[in-house]
Amino acid sequence: MSVRVRFAPSPTGGLHLGGVRTVLYNYLFARHHGGKFIVRIEDTDQTRFVEGAEQYIFDCLKWCGLEPDESVLHGGEYGPYKQSERKESYRKYAEILVTHGYAYYAFDTKEELEQMREANKTAENPSPQYDHRIRKKMRNSLNLTDDEVKELLEANTPHVIRIKMPENEVIQFTDMIRGEISFDTNLVDDKVLLKADGMPTYHLAVVVDDYLMKITHAFRGEEWLPSAPVHLLLWKYLGWEKQMPQWAHLPLILGPNGKLSKRDGAKYGFPVFAMNWTDPRSNEFTEGFKEKGFLPEAFINMLALLGWNAGTEQEVFTKEELIENFSMERVHAAGAKFDYEKAKWFNHEWMKKKEVRSMMYDVRNLLEANNIPVNDESFLEKVIELVRERCTLLTDFVQQAGFFFKAPETIDADAVKPKWNEEKKNFFIEFGKQLQSLGNWNMAEIETVFKNLATEKNIKPGELQLPMRVMLVGGKFGPAVFQIAELIGKEETVKRVEKALHLLEA
Ligand code: GLU
């Protein structure tokens, strides 16, 4: 049996950390076992459909490097991979369930359902469910005669099909992470399987499609655990029990206060979505890890460890190492706390580790988006190599690398002024002149000129380093100052020193 796993998102909005982690664990498991990773779009709830969300999901997967083997975009033998395009295939199964007495037609109108809730609500149960007690009092095929049902169906009376939850039974299954889990059927309501518009609900569609797509393992968030008894019964009632996938319900991702929410992002200033997302209905914007300056390697590395560990001290993993080491047995059931500082730590590690050539495209785009033109690729490569360790996020390259390509427009004069004096000013005037006539332009030579002149003028070189840095860079940051001078070249170094002298004068 070859492994087939699926990620089954509903296209209702941006893809948050938890969603990407579900993708990742599916992907790693599939790759580890040489199986297939499938993405199925679960868009049966038309009221929650959001324009652009499907494309966004695929864009995120691409950015993360977690591309599926089969999907709407990638094709495959088990398509269509979008539930709205499979609409016709579901009704048949709902009817089979009715025929075998596992489900029934329910003709209750909205008003009738409302009345039922009103009439049956108590202090402990303010919103009664359509369950084994209530169904006996409702307008459904369990209570109507066969002729009445036939007549209603022939008259195209709006109806749904509901599962008939058994009474007083215990349903059990073994979760790959949580072990034995059991449910009391009396506490589960008669979920709708087929809606009045002919669309299946998630419950029916997920079972039918996992079966038809030959899914062997189904991994999903812990929030789906309460739905498991309905799904287990459907597998059984449809006669597919032997083909039922093994399930694992992944741990919650926790924020500073309980379950991590989209709101936490805005509240605490960190991204919660993979990429920037603007909800087309509300125009609400949510920031993404990509645009914040995270490398995809760091992002998936950090996510992999939110709920899993290799059982060793190792924290930094390449995707290949994750594939090799990943196992569902090492995923823990308890919620995993998201720590933004730790996420940045992972990114910094990857900034140092990633191959420079594969960062160039992004850094160049970033600089150019900030009006910093990059004309020389090999120069860019040198600069990245030199400053990468100083960058936690990709976006830090704007400050840390920008001045190599474009002179600072202003300088942090306040950093220099308190200790600025005539002697220092004269030093830099003279230094500029000596640099002009320097034959070999390299950091050692520049430093020699600098030190000799300092000795001659009787100023400690240490006191001159900061002003020089601010002159070349604009502020108190960047790598070794003579190295900067070497890289930006003679003409540019002299020009920046002269310009800074003017600015300090003013
Ligand atoms: N469509 C469900 C979701 O949006 C999928 C749950 C599952 O994987 O069974 O998360």
Side-chain angles (χ1 to χ4, degrees):
M1 179 192 70
S2 65
V3 162
R4 289 177 58 78
V5 298
R6 87 301 191 272
F7 174 57
S10 299
T12 54
L15 195 57
H16 56 79
L17 282 181
V20 189
R21 193 197 52 186
T22 303
V23 174
L24 179 63
Y25 286 6
N26 271 288
Y27 178 95
L28 295 176
F29 186 86
R31 290 288 171 272
H32 182 89
H33 293 282
K36 295 270 190 272
F37 168 50
I38 293 123
V39 170
R40 179 176 69 228
I41 300 295
E42 302 210 323
D43 58 345
T44 55
D45 190 349
Q46 304 280 299
T47 57
R48 292 177 65 222
F49 177 82
V50 173
E51 195 65 47
E54 181 182 322
Q55 184 58 44
Y56 168 90
I57 291 168
F58 284 109
D59 290 345
C60 291
L61 265 50
K62 188 164 186 186
W63 175 64
C64 294
L66 304 173
E67 299 238 35
D69 301 300
E70 298 170 27
S71 81
V72 179
L73 290 187
H74 302 78
E77 302 173 45
Y78 298 88
Y81 291 92
K82 192 191 288 203
Q83 289 182 330
S84 58
E85 291 171 13
R86 303 170 68 84
K87 184 178 168 188
E88 299 318 317
S89 58
Y90 304 108
R91 177 155 203 117
K92 175 173 88 197
Y93 297 105
E95 303 276 4
I96 291 175
L97 291 168
V98 176
T99 311
H100 288 88
Y102 296 128
Y104 58 90
Y105 298 109
F107 299 94
D108 315 282
T109 62
K110 233 167 137 184
E111 292 70 35
E112 287 166 336
L113 290 171
E114 204 34 61
Q115 275 167 19
M116 173 275 277
R117 275 187 212 108
E118 268 310 304
N120 292 282
K121 78 176 179 195
T122 58
E124 306 85 72
N125 187 7
S127 175
Q129 319 190 78
Y130 202 118
D131 62 11
H132 65 284
R133 282 164 297 139
I134 300 288
R135 71 178 170 232
K136 296 181 180 123
K137 309 179 203 165
M138 303 300 288
R139 212 154 63 89
N140 56 47
S141 58
L142 301 173
N143 305 324
L144 300 165
T145 65
D146 288 353
D147 285 344
E148 283 170 323
V149 172
K150 203 170 156 224
E151 212 169 286
L152 285 166
L153 289 177
E154 274 167 4
N156 283 327
T157 314
H159 64 276
V160 299
I161 293 181
R162 286 180 182 271
I163 188 169
K164 187 178 163 199
M165 266 288 150
E167 281 176 63
N168 307 319
E169 275 186 29
V170 173
I171 305 180
Q172 271 177 315
F173 82 100
T174 310
D175 186 280
M176 289 171 77
I177 298 170
R178 288 153 212 274
E180 288 302 309
I181 298 194
S182 53
F183 301 91
D184 171 355
T185 54
N186 288 347
L187 301 177
V188 186
D189 60 326
D190 289 358
K191 289 265 184 298
V192 172
L193 302 178
L194 200 77
K195 293 181 279 189
D197 63 3
M199 274 287 200
T201 57
Y202 156 70
H203 302 293
L204 178 64
V206 77
V207 170
V208 169
D209 286 343
D210 281 351
Y211 170 74
L212 295 177
M213 294 184 178
K214 297 202 165 58
I215 299 303
T216 58
H217 299 79
F219 309 140
R220 57 188 184 189
E222 186 185 296
E223 64 276 21
W224 296 104
L225 204 49
S227 301
V230 181
H231 303 168
L232 282 156
L233 285 176
L234 289 176
W235 280 95
K236 184 171 152 193
Y237 292 163
L238 287 163
W240 301 335
E241 225 176 352
K242 284 209 174 68
Q243 287 94 324
M244 190 170 84
Q246 271 186 276
W247 285 341
H249 291 84
L250 308 178
L252 286 179
I253 296 186
L254 305 173
N257 291 306
K259 190 179 174 208
L260 181 72
S261 74
K262 202 168 75 178
R263 308 262 167 292
D264 286 341
K267 191 161 162 201
Y268 299 101
F270 54 69
V272 287
F273 282 177
M275 288 165 58
N276 278 357
W277 167 255
T278 304
D279 191 309
R281 296 160 305 182
S282 60
N283 265 329
E284 188 193 359
F285 169 79
T286 312
E287 192 177 31
F289 278 85
K290 176 178 185 248
E291 291 81 359
K292 187 82 185 176
F294 278 80
L295 296 170
E297 292 86 348
F299 183 52
I300 64 165
N301 188 167
M302 175 275 292
L303 277 180
L305 276 92
L306 268 184
W308 169 87
N309 67 71
T312 62
E313 295 293 297
Q314 186 177 353
E315 289 189 286
V316 177
F317 289 87
T318 61
K319 189 165 87 179
E320 288 64 38
E321 289 170 327
L322 289 173
I323 292 171
E324 198 183 312
N325 287 285
F326 186 78
S327 76
M328 222 19 108
E329 286 68 40
R330 293 210 62 85
V331 175
H332 54 72
K337 184 135 185 177
F338 170 68
D339 175 353
Y340 187 49
E341 291 311 311
K342 187 75 191 191
K344 288 196 289 190
W345 177 85
F346 275 108
N347 209 58
H348 189 219
E349 291 303 305
W350 272 97
M351 289 292 243
K352 296 185 278 183
K353 186 177 163 78
K354 187 167 168 151
E355 216 199 312
V356 174
R357 298 215 124 250
S358 58
M359 283 202 253
M360 282 174 48
Y361 177 80
D362 286 332
V363 177
R364 183 190 192 126
N365 280 346
L366 189 69
L367 292 175
E368 295 190 337
N370 283 278
N371 285 321
I372 302 169
V374 176
N375 300 317
D376 182 346
E377 288 270 324
S378 66
F379 183 62
L380 176 64
E381 201 176 335
K382 265 191 223 149
V383 169
I384 294 177
E385 191 57 79
L386 186 63
V387 304
R388 63 197 311 202
E389 267 187 46
R390 296 167 188 276
C391 300
T392 300
L393 299 171
L394 262 181
T395 39
D396 294 337
F397 274 112
V398 176
Q399 187 192 54
Q400 296 293 342
F403 61 83
F404 284 100
F405 300 89
K406 191 177 173 186
E409 269 151 31
T410 59
I411 60 165
D412 182 2
D414 291 344
V416 178
K417 275 191 171 153
K419 291 190 169 176
W420 191 243
N421 56 30
E422 275 305 295
E423 283 81 56
K424 285 184 185 165
K425 182 175 127 189
N426 292 332
F427 169 90
F428 279 102
I429 293 172
E430 181 62 25
F431 181 54
K433 282 189 194 143
Q434 293 197 8
L435 288 185
Q436 292 273 25
S437 51
L438 189 62
N440 274 338
W441 188 259
N442 62 52
M443 56 188 282
E445 295 283 334
I446 304 164
E447 189 168 1
T448 308
V449 173
F450 185 86
K451 290 211 163 130
N452 289 346
L453 188 62
T455 314
E456 195 184 299
K457 301 232 178 246
N458 208 7
I459 313 175
K460 284 198 205 102
E463 298 227 345
L464 298 162
Q465 292 248 8
L466 174 72
M468 174 142 168
R469 171 174 301 284
V470 173
M471 286 173 176
L472 300 190
V473 170
K476 293 192 276 187
F477 52 86
V481 73
F482 300 112
Q483 197 163 15
I484 297 171
E486 176 183 317
L487 278 174
I488 62 176
K490 184 199 279 190
E491 211 182 306
E492 186 64 22
T493 302
V494 173
K495 222 159 91 185
R496 290 191 193 182
V497 169
E498 283 171 356
K499 184 176 169 199
L501 284 171
H502 273 112
L503 289 171
L504 285 165
E505 223 27 39

